[in-house]
Amino acid sequence: MNSYRQSNVKRDRRRLFWGTALVVIIFIIDGISGGNLRGAVRLGGANVWSVGTHAGDAIFGSGFFSTRRALEEENQSLRGEISELQMRAAAFDVLREENAALQGLVHLAEGSRGITAPVVSSFRSSPYGTFLIGAGTEDGVRSGSIVLVGDSLRQSADGGFVIGRIEEAGAHTSLVKGIFAPGVTTDAVIREVGISVLGRGGGQARGEIPREALVAAGDPVVSATLGGKPIGIVGKVVEDAGDASQVVYIRFPINQNEIRFVYVLPAQQ
Amino acid sequence: MYFLRSNSVRVVIAVVGVLGALFAPPWLPLISMGILALRFRPWEVFAIGILVDFLWLPGAFFYPLPLFTIAAIALVWGLEPLRKEILV
């Protein structure tokens, strides 16, 4: 019995050893192929994400879970009819949300040349502050391109807020690194006062400015290195009596989970 | 029967880890990897680690460092002495 267990353990450990070696080989192959492997993984991930979110919208938007008890009380024919109408309403809601998101980008498209791309991943899944968009080199997207977000309710004078930069462009999907990704530093200006903004993830960042600077919550934060476009707004200013500087907490003004489309500017802009 | 149940648990945790890499915050695949590495000798942990890094990490040739893949290797081999003690 003991020898049987030991042989099983040996077999498992051998498997793990070869698994570890395979991991290294996969990374080397990916590096040699110029990131083709991860490009394929991202394309697959984007497809799974799209299917998953559409299925989720259809299921939860139809009201299947919220009105199930009520529907059970109705007769069979009415139940079918209501379900169909609810499905249509859910589909309409999805289209209306997409339309609103695209309307927020219209003014960006009028002011500068670029392309509109759908967001094809979650904003919260990445441990590295990145997300995927459904446009790539075949659509004219290049590494280094600035990614903007428009908001139909809160349009900045400069046309949209910068949410990130294209870090890697695949054929059909691109990886965007958020401006406020953890550890990312961006030079910016608030009311003509220079500040180095350190990303903290989740659409938030912080920085320090001199104590004398007059900065208040709601002030826009603009970055010259990103075409002079706004990257966020001041959320809170904390002043310590014994400190020569004050801490500025900056946030992205739009809820990232509601962003459906982004606008990608060419790299040279 | 126990073998089947144990394997089912392993598959479910692995699926949660893979889906978590796509849809959930990063702590979910990390916890899945930890549980799998505690209870089994799992090659799936490598797969989840690579998936997270290939999906979300820019760059190639180990720069920037693929933290989830490194975590996967560390979990699998670091917990081996403990598994050796507790696994039947």
Side-chain angles (χ1 to χ4, degrees), chain A residues 9 12-13 16-17 19-20 23 26-27 31-32 38 41-42 45 48-49 121 124-128 130 167-168 175, chain B residues 21-26 41 46 50-59 61-62 66-69 76-77 80 83:
Chain A
V9 169
D12 288 349
R13 290 182 76 168
L16 287 186
F17 174 78
T20 310
V23 167
I26 286 172
F27 267 90
I32 290 169
R38 62 181 68 202
V41 170
R42 282 174 196 155
V48 172
W49 166 261
S121 78
R124 59 183 184 162
S125 294
S126 171
Y128 307 108
T130 51
E167 196 75 15
E168 276 182 19
L175 188 69
Chain B
L22 281 168
F23 295 99
R41 285 193 181 83
F46 296 136
I50 286 183
L51 178 65
V52 171
D53 284 335
F54 272 19
L55 273 174
W56 306 120
L57 182 69
F61 273 126
F62 302 102
L67 296 179
F68 266 69
T69 306
V76 166
W77 289 108
E80 177 60 16
R83 278 195 306 265

Side-chain angles (χ1 to χ4, degrees), chain A residues 95-237:
Chain A
L95 287 174
R96 190 170 56 186
E97 281 173 21
E98 282 188 2
N99 189 35
L102 286 169
Q103 272 183 347
L105 296 173
V106 166
H107 68 289
L108 296 181
E110 287 169 348
S112 52
R113 282 196 308 171
I115 61 160
T116 303
V119 175
V120 292
S121 78
S122 165
F123 277 93
R124 59 183 184 162
S125 294
S126 171
Y128 307 108
T130 51
F131 62 93
L132 292 168
I133 60 169
T137 50
E138 293 197 358
D139 306 296
V141 175
R142 297 284 178 271
S143 291
S145 300
I146 295 172
V147 181
L148 297 168
V149 174
D151 185 355
S152 53
L153 300 176
R154 189 200 292 268
Q155 291 182 1
S156 74
D158 294 318
F161 286 84
V162 177
I163 193 172
R165 268 184 193 277
I166 300 290
E167 196 75 15
E168 276 182 19
H172 301 288
T173 57
S174 299
L175 188 69
V176 182
K177 179 100 175 179
I179 290 293
F180 293 161
V184 171
T185 306
T186 309
D187 291 328
V189 174
I190 310 172
R191 286 202 188 184
E192 298 181 358
V193 179
I195 183 173
S196 184
V197 175
L198 178 65
R200 304 168 74 200
Q204 296 180 44
R206 60 164 283 175
E208 290 186 2
I209 56 168
R211 192 185 169 88
E212 314 82 61
L214 294 172
V215 173
D219 286 347
V221 183
V222 177
S223 176
T225 56
L226 296 167
K229 296 193 178 298
I231 59 173
I233 59 171
V234 174
K236 195 167 83 170
V237 182

